[in-house]
Amino acid sequence: IRKKNQVTHLQQYLEGKAFNFYAIKVAPNPKSWDLKKFFVGLFDWCFPPDFIEKQRIKFERCYQQGASIEEYLRRLSLLRNSIGDISTRQVVRQFWRGADKYIRYEWIKDGYTIERATLNELHVSATRYERARQSTLNLKEKNTEPRWKPNHTRESEIKSPENAGNWKRNDRRNEKEYRTKGNYPKPSNYQNIG
C-alpha cells in the first residue's frame, strides 16, 4: 500500500472513538495524513492532555507491595509502554526502588547495585528469592501443625454418656494387661461415672 493510501485503508479497522476521530478529522482530506500524524492525532483525541503526566506519576509510585515479582514487573512494563519515553535504566531504578524490602536486601547481599544491574539480572534473582521465601513459609506452616492429631480425647469420651462404660472397661483391661506382664499394680483412680 502506498504511503498516501495507508490512512485511507485504516478506516475499515476503526470503531468507537477512533472511528469518530477518522470521520471528523481525517475523512475530509485523508491524503494529507501520514501514519505518524494520524496516530499522534488519534492519541490526542482519545486521551486527556495530561494522560502521560498521570502515567508517569503512576510509574514513579509503582511498588510491589506483596504482589508477585512477575505481576510487579508487568505493571511497570504497561506503564512504561503507555508513557513511551522511559529508558530501560529508568525501569531498572524503579524496579529496584519499588521491590519489596526483603528482595532489595537480597540484591545488596548478592552484590547487585541499582546502577549496574540489568533488568534481567534483577528479575531472575528476585524470582529466585521469591521462590525461596515461599518455600520457607510453606515449611514453617507445616511445622506448626501437630504431627499427630488424636481423633478424640479421654475427656471427650468421659463426657459422652454412650462411651462412659466403654472407657471404664477399656481402662480396666489395660490395667489387667499391665498386671499380667509382671509389673507393679497401678493405683486405681476411677471416677464414678454413671
Side-chain angles (χ1 to χ4, degrees), residues 55 85 111:
Q55 292 299 92
D85 66 349

Side-chain angles (χ1 to χ4, degrees), residues 45-59:
W45 181 272
C46 293
F47 297 102
D50 61 347
F51 175 76
I52 292 178
E53 291 172 41
K54 288 179 179 178
Q55 292 299 92
R56 192 177 306 281
I57 290 168
K58 285 181 185 178
F59 177 82

Side-chain angles (χ1 to χ4, degrees), residues 11-178:
Q11 177 185 5
Q12 60 190 339
Y13 303 106
L14 303 175
E15 56 185 45
K17 281 185 175 182
F19 182 79
N20 291 341
F21 168 74
Y22 186 89
I24 294 169
K25 295 284 187 175
V26 180
N29 190 6
K31 293 190 179 187
S32 68
W33 291 79
D34 63 5
L35 282 179
K36 184 176 180 178
K37 182 180 174 184
F38 174 80
F39 286 118
V40 168
L42 180 62
F43 182 88
D44 292 341
W45 181 272
C46 293
F47 297 102
D50 61 347
F51 175 76
I52 292 178
E53 291 172 41
K54 288 179 179 178
Q55 292 299 92
R56 192 177 306 281
I57 290 168
K58 285 181 185 178
F59 177 82
E60 291 167 357
R61 293 180 181 169
C62 187
Y63 295 96
Q64 186 179 1
Q65 297 177 329
S68 74
I69 204 71
E70 292 295 328
E71 177 59 31
Y72 173 52
L73 185 56
R74 196 173 303 123
R75 280 190 318 223
L76 273 178
S77 297
L78 285 171
L79 288 167
R80 175 192 188 185
N81 292 340
S82 70
I83 297 167
D85 66 349
I86 301 284
S87 71
T88 304
R89 181 52 43 198
Q90 288 173 298
V91 174
V92 168
R93 287 185 189 121
Q94 185 56 41
F95 187 62
W96 181 291
R97 285 188 207 110
D100 285 347
K101 201 174 204 174
Y102 80 93
I103 292 177
R104 290 193 314 263
Y105 172 78
E106 293 293 334
W107 281 332
I108 292 167
K109 196 168 93 175
D110 286 349
Y112 293 108
T113 64
I114 194 170
E115 294 302 324
R116 294 207 176 140
T118 66
L119 185 60
N120 189 50
E121 288 173 336
L122 295 179
H123 177 236
V124 169
S125 59
T127 303
R128 267 195 338 264
Y129 306 149
E130 196 173 60
R131 281 193 212 131
R133 184 171 195 231
Q134 189 58 46
S135 88
T136 303
L137 292 175
N138 289 342
L139 285 174
K140 283 181 182 177
E141 286 175 9
K142 287 180 183 177
N143 289 339
T144 58
E145 295 178 12
R147 292 185 183 176
W148 176 77
K149 290 183 183 177
N151 293 333
H152 55 278
T153 62
R154 280 198 150 174
E155 293 161 50
S156 65
E157 288 180 332
I158 293 170
K159 290 176 185 172
S160 168
E162 304 88 37
N163 293 331
N166 292 340
W167 177 75
K168 230 176 183 179
R169 254 190 318 276
N170 287 339
D171 199 54
R172 285 186 185 143
R173 191 176 308 128
N174 290 341
E175 188 176 316
K176 200 182 263 186
E177 287 175 16
Y178 186 82

